[in-house]
Amino acid sequence: MVSKKQKLSPKACLPFKTANKFKRQDLHVKQKKARENTKRDDRLRRRREEDKNPGQREERINKNIPATLDRKRVFDEIDQDVGDGLGVSVDAEKLERLKRQRIEQEANDIEEDDNASVAKDDIEDDRDSMLSFADDDSDDQGDTSTRAPKSPENLIKRATSPTFSTTSTNLDLNPSALAARFPTLFPPSDPTICPPIPKILITTSLNSTLFEQANLLTTVFPNSVFVPRSNHRYGHKFSIKEIASFATNRNYTSLVVLKEDSKKPTGLSVIHLPTGPSFHFSISTWVAGKRLPGHGNPTDHIPELMLNNFRTPLGLLTAHLFRSLFPPQPDIIGRQVIAIHNQRDYIFLRKMRYVFREKRETEKSVVGPDGKVVQGAEGIRTGLQELGPRITLKLRRVDTGVQAGRGEVWKWKAGDEKVRTRFAL
């Protein structure tokens, strides 16, 4: 349907409705061409005006912000202490900032009370001294009124910025309730204590045929080993609890179990050894690296890790789980990076190789989050080559123990998606 703002040519309109199919097709082509011509003329006219007045372009860009679901995201209103906060959708950074402000406010109130009591005692002492000399000063003319001393001014500290310049996850944020409940996932408070180097055991579910996909995970997680589970009719079917016990005795830090349905990967369980917690993900997308156009071949270098957009306490717990799967010191010479991006509670895992090159004449400079050109990187561009695999996950359940269904902490429910602007991670 033609918009009211666009005035089409009379040649593209018929004064009556026709039953001729070919005439209707010809009219549709003319209307589509007329709409495209009108849009092009408006776009060129706007460009000429903005070249004369660049302020109009900035005003248009700042005004035309798309109203996406991420921008409409809402958080739960919290009036009291939520504990670890796994069951609610709150901004963990904002929660910590409000907690610090509450502690500072209480300290300021105590200081004000102490200062007020000291000032009151001084006033009473001055009043007693004045009463002792009341008889000697009875001949003086007029009454003098005493003024109370001014209360000390409150020292208001400037709050930190409530927003980040990028969507990267703040891993320095360690909520005390979460760190007390899951101490092995969070870094130790003592900086002299070094966390153990990740060592991962990868296996599959019983009677699985996904040996190739499970072996592909060894290229994603460094220091990982794939051990297939036997499906022999006379073999012993080891349970996850037994495998976790064997892995703990051999100094493994994590156990990854790949699940399948109809010979396709459908689930991924990550168990933090020796006592948990356990995270269970569903797999909605699995694309091997060899099926990606223009893919590269991964190397044995330890990749860099990027964790984006994990904001709630549950999101921070998930981000620290992925952090525990990768060594803290990457091999920069390998130029490989693992990007784990959370968007609308879907976790996108990508592995890529990057290269720095000079900017071509037809390319634009690198622009920062504020929309301005980054200083010092005007002539530099970055090229990316995806290595694979391409995996899309969604968190379904979190358990405190090793075995599934024991000590359930959080579970995804079907009713959680009724409010499309509320997210768990």
Side-chain angles (χ1 to χ4, degrees):
M1 186 175 181
V2 182
S3 176
K4 294 181 181 180
K5 297 181 180 179
Q6 297 178 359
K7 296 181 180 180
L8 301 180
S9 173
K11 295 181 180 180
C13 301
L14 286 178
F16 55 89
K17 293 183 179 180
T18 177
N20 192 322
K21 178 181 178 181
F22 297 101
K23 287 186 177 181
R24 289 199 307 268
Q25 291 178 351
D26 184 54
L27 175 63
H28 174 71
V29 173
K30 289 181 178 180
Q31 287 180 346
K32 184 177 180 181
K33 187 176 180 180
R35 284 194 295 267
E36 293 176 353
N37 292 337
T38 304
K39 290 182 181 179
R40 186 186 68 251
D41 295 340
D42 294 341
R43 186 169 61 252
L44 295 177
R45 176 183 51 80
R46 184 174 61 247
R47 181 184 299 178
R48 289 192 298 269
E49 294 177 354
E50 290 176 351
D51 290 340
K52 296 179 181 179
N53 188 4
Q56 293 183 1
R57 180 180 289 109
E58 296 181 1
E59 183 180 357
R60 176 178 58 85
I61 293 175
N62 296 332
K63 183 179 179 181
N64 295 338
I65 298 178
T68 61
L69 286 179
D70 295 330
R71 295 185 181 274
K72 295 180 180 179
R73 181 175 183 176
V74 295
F75 293 97
D76 297 340
E77 296 293 337
I78 302 300
D79 298 333
Q80 56 185 359
D81 189 11
V82 295
D84 52 17
L86 294 180
V88 294
S89 177
V90 294
D91 193 348
E93 185 179 3
K94 184 178 180 180
L95 200 64
E96 289 293 322
R97 186 168 60 253
L98 292 177
K99 187 180 296 185
R100 288 196 304 267
Q101 291 178 358
R102 191 183 307 113
I103 295 174
E104 293 176 359
Q105 185 65 27
E106 292 177 357
N108 291 336
D109 293 341
I110 294 174
E111 185 178 358
E112 289 179 5
D113 294 340
D114 295 340
N115 294 333
S117 60
V118 172
K120 186 177 181 181
D121 295 339
D122 295 342
I123 294 174
E124 291 179 355
D125 295 341
D126 295 340
R127 186 176 300 170
D128 294 339
S129 62
M130 291 176 65
L131 290 175
S132 61
F133 294 99
D135 296 336
D136 299 337
D137 299 337
S138 59
D139 295 337
D140 296 341
Q141 297 178 356
D143 297 332
T144 59
S145 60
T146 59
R147 295 182 179 178
K150 296 181 179 180
S151 60
E153 297 181 356
N154 296 334
L155 299 177
I156 302 176
K157 295 183 179 180
R158 183 177 179 181
T160 57
S161 177
T163 57
F164 279 106
S165 59
T166 61
T167 58
S168 59
T169 304
N170 186 10
L171 291 179
D172 296 333
L173 190 64
N174 300 327
S176 57
L178 280 179
R181 191 169 185 179
F182 308 100
T184 57
L185 282 183
F186 291 87
S189 57
D190 190 359
T192 59
I193 300 177
C194 297
I197 299 176
K199 187 179 179 182
I200 305 170
L201 176 63
I202 301 176
T203 186
T204 60
S205 57
L206 283 173
N207 302 326
S208 176
T209 59
L210 301 180
F211 295 157
E212 181 181 356
Q213 289 84 347
N215 195 19
L216 190 62
L217 288 177
T218 58
T219 63
V220 177
F221 303 112
N223 301 332
S224 60
V225 178
F226 168 57
V227 178
R229 296 176 72 177
S230 174
N231 58 355
H232 194 271
R233 56 185 295 184
Y234 298 117
H236 180 72
K237 306 298 189 295
F238 290 99
S239 64
I240 296 298
K241 192 173 183 179
E242 292 175 332
I243 296 175
S245 178
F246 299 154
T248 303
N249 296 334
R250 288 159 179 78
N251 298 326
Y252 284 94
T253 60
S254 298
L255 172 63
V256 177
V257 181
L258 183 64
K259 301 178 181 180
E260 75 162 311
D261 187 12
S262 301
K263 297 185 179 181
K264 294 181 181 180
T266 58
L268 190 72
S269 296
V270 182
I271 303 171
H272 190 72
L273 301 177
T275 59
S278 304
F279 290 74
H280 306 278
F281 302 89
S282 63
I283 299 176
S284 58
T285 303
W286 181 289
V287 182
K290 61 183 180 182
R291 295 181 55 188
L292 298 174
H295 70 91
N297 296 322
T299 58
D300 295 335
H301 296 91
I302 298 176
E304 306 173 46
L305 180 62
M306 294 176 56
L307 296 168
N308 293 337
N309 207 23
F310 293 93
R311 301 180 61 181
T312 63
L314 181 62
L316 285 177
L317 188 65
T318 308
H320 280 280
L321 171 75
F322 286 114
R323 181 196 57 82
S324 65
L325 300 177
F326 295 88
Q329 298 296 335
D331 295 334
I332 305 298
I333 192 173
R335 296 182 289 108
Q336 295 183 149
V337 59
I338 294 284
I340 302 177
H341 177 77
N342 168 50
Q343 187 171 0
R344 303 179 189 176
D345 287 348
Y346 285 92
I347 301 174
F348 301 93
L349 190 148
R350 303 290 186 269
K351 184 173 183 180
M352 294 169 286
R353 181 183 291 115
Y354 62 88
V355 61
F356 296 109
R357 57 176 176 80
E358 295 183 357
K359 182 176 72 68
R360 302 187 183 96
E361 295 181 356
T362 57
E363 295 178 337
K364 297 181 180 179
S365 299
V366 180
V367 180
D370 55 353
K372 299 181 180 179
V373 178
V374 178
Q375 299 294 331
E378 293 84 355
I380 300 177
R381 296 291 291 180
T382 305
L384 294 177
Q385 183 185 32
E386 193 168 0
L387 307 178
R390 182 183 294 178
I391 306 175
T392 303
L393 308 171
K394 187 169 185 178
L395 183 62
R396 297 295 180 175
R397 193 175 69 250
V398 179
D399 299 326
T400 55
V402 173
Q403 198 167 2
R406 301 293 179 88
E408 181 180 299
V409 176
W410 178 86
K411 184 178 180 180
W412 179 86
K413 299 178 182 179
D416 294 343
E417 291 185 347
K418 289 184 178 180
V419 182
R420 299 187 63 191
T421 56
R422 183 184 181 274
F423 306 111
L425 301 182

